[in-house]
Amino acid sequence: MQTLLTNDPFQAATMLRSGRLVCFPTETVYGLGADAFNEDAVGRIFAAKMRPLDNPLIVHVSDPAQVKCVARHIPPAARTLIEACFPGPLSVVLPKAEAVPSIVTAGLDTVAVRMPDHDLALTFLEACNTPVAAPSANLSGRPSPTSWEAVCDDLSGRVDCLLKDGRSAKGLESTVVDCTDHSPGLLRAGAVSVERLLDLVPALRIDPIETVGELRSPGIHHPHYAPRVRVEVVERPHGTATNAERAYIGIDAPTSSAGYRLTHVCESTDEYAYCLFDFFRRAEAAGVGEIHCQRVMRHGLGRALMDRLEKAASSTA
Ligand code: TXA
Ligand code: MG
């Protein structure tokens, strides 16, 4: 299959409406979309990215009012989060409306919904005139793509269309919050910080990721975010004789004698998050044997960043 590259959101939306797979930019990472109500098209998402069928997809909407097309009802905590964070990098898990095909939600009776904070994505989604099911636009288990070039690396020839734009502003995926019962819980740390969520919903449970997370969010146990190169989380950059084969990303600058082949020194945790997945891919392309990633405080975006670093380190150990 030939993948059409375009800057035109209306051309991309026409393709999606006719049952095709369309990759599109968002503020978190690029997504791989299909009409959420078209079972065949959604099935092809799983094939294109070689994703296990037990990992549910996030449904993207162009307007908060569209949430009711995919959710049976909207519990109070979800209403608060939607009002405060849509559009934005937050996915809320809600009771699923009957009309949503079960392939979208991997058989769960819940559905994750998000409205991206990205002008081109919103123009595209609005023109689609249907909710769009979309996982990150990478091959399953690979780092999420934060540029259209990274989407091409993984999916060129496997999808019908790629709506091109610049780099994703956040660089890490959305925060996922389960709002299906009386005590909402965090399922995936992400670009909306836990501190912000707790301001909005003080009763939010942070622990379910470890306890019920696997049951509520089957995707969490799949290997994730991993480059083809070994990742090690380090306290600080350090010099060893073999660093010529290594890459380093972090906040502290290595001394010139540390001798890393490739380095990226970030000014802030936000910049670290913005660059991480892109750096993984650059390090792969440079042929390094190992990537040292500096540990950060689990605060603000640091929590999501540490989650991705630890998953990458354990998937490549
Ligand atoms: O930022 C993002 O969320 C990006 C962009 C494209 O929107 N999408 C993304 O999708 O990261 P994906 O499929 O790579 O990750 C979705 C996560 C998975 O961990 C999945 O298990 C969880 O959300 N999820 C989806 N639907 C769920 C549901 N009904 N209940 C619990 N977890 C769900
Ligand atoms: Mg993903």
Side-chain angles (χ1 to χ4, degrees):
M1 156 197 313
Q2 181 93 354
T3 301
L4 172 79
L5 302 185
T6 180
N7 297 305
D8 179 354
F10 302 101
Q11 185 182 26
T14 302
M15 292 193 73
L16 184 128
R17 280 202 310 271
S18 64
R20 309 289 183 82
L21 300 186
V22 177
C23 295
F24 61 99
T26 83
E27 82 280 33
T28 56
V29 301
Y30 276 69
L32 161 50
D35 178 350
F37 292 122
N38 182 330
E39 242 173 287
D40 287 348
V42 174
R44 276 184 277 114
I45 291 180
F46 288 88
K49 56 177 277 165
M50 300 193 279
R51 179 177 176 107
L53 281 162
D54 66 354
N55 195 355
L57 308 180
I58 296 172
V59 174
H60 295 67
V61 296
S62 60
D63 189 293
Q66 211 177 20
V67 175
K68 61 181 187 307
C69 304
V70 294
R72 201 160 61 243
H73 68 102
I74 305 176
R79 208 167 280 284
T80 304
L81 292 175
I82 288 169
E83 267 169 27
C85 300
F86 277 29
L90 178 75
S91 300
V92 291
V93 175
L94 302 168
K96 177 179 100 64
E98 194 103 344
V100 178
S102 69
I103 188 165
V104 172
T105 63
L108 298 174
D109 63 358
T110 62
V111 61
V113 190
R114 132 168 160 82
M115 175 181 174
D117 184 13
H118 188 286
D119 289 344
L120 187 65
L122 289 175
T123 305
F124 162 69
L125 289 170
E126 199 179 337
C128 287
N129 198 27
T130 180
V132 172
S136 50
N138 49 283
L139 287 172
S140 188
R142 301 266 302 137
S144 293
T146 56
S147 66
W148 67 264
E149 292 92 339
V151 176
C152 279
D153 284 346
D154 277 18
L155 296 178
S156 186
R158 305 180 69 87
V159 296
D160 300 291
C161 177
L162 164 55
L163 177 58
K164 281 168 46 179
D165 197 42
R167 290 267 300 271
S168 304
K170 300 285 181 196
L172 293 183
E173 304 86 348
S174 64
T175 306
V176 182
V177 176
D178 178 9
C179 295
T180 50
D181 63 20
H182 294 301
S183 55
L186 180 71
L187 293 179
R188 177 173 76 181
V192 173
S193 71
V194 163
E195 292 80 6
R196 166 105 175 104
L197 293 176
L198 285 171
D199 274 348
L200 295 164
V201 180
L204 182 82
R205 287 169 304 124
I206 308 301
D207 58 316
I209 291 189
E210 280 75 34
T211 52
V212 301
E214 289 219 352
L215 295 173
R216 300 249 175 127
S217 194
I220 284 169
H221 67 264
H222 291 299
H224 255 111
Y225 319 114
R228 298 196 174 97
V229 179
R230 214 177 93 80
V231 170
E232 192 181 335
V233 180
V234 297
E235 294 305 322
R236 58 188 62 80
H238 49 265
T240 72
T242 50
N243 272 358
E245 298 307 317
R246 294 196 173 115
Y248 166 82
I249 183 168
I251 308 266
D252 292 335
T255 60
S256 54
S257 62
Y260 286 105
R261 168 115 62 98
L262 187 67
T263 58
H264 189 96
V265 179
C266 309
E267 280 185 359
S268 62
T269 307
D270 285 14
E271 190 199 334
Y272 194 167
Y274 172 74
C275 293
L276 180 71
F277 289 147
D278 185 62
F279 188 76
F280 279 172
R281 287 175 184 264
R282 280 205 290 137
E284 273 180 355
V288 302
E290 192 172 45
I291 307 171
H292 282 175
C293 301
Q294 187 175 23
R295 184 183 300 285
V296 296
M297 300 275 282
R298 278 175 216 269
H299 186 267
L301 210 51
R303 180 188 287 265
L305 186 54
M306 281 309 298
D307 169 73
R308 306 308 188 268
L309 291 179
E310 283 168 353
K311 286 194 167 121
S314 66
S315 304
T316 59

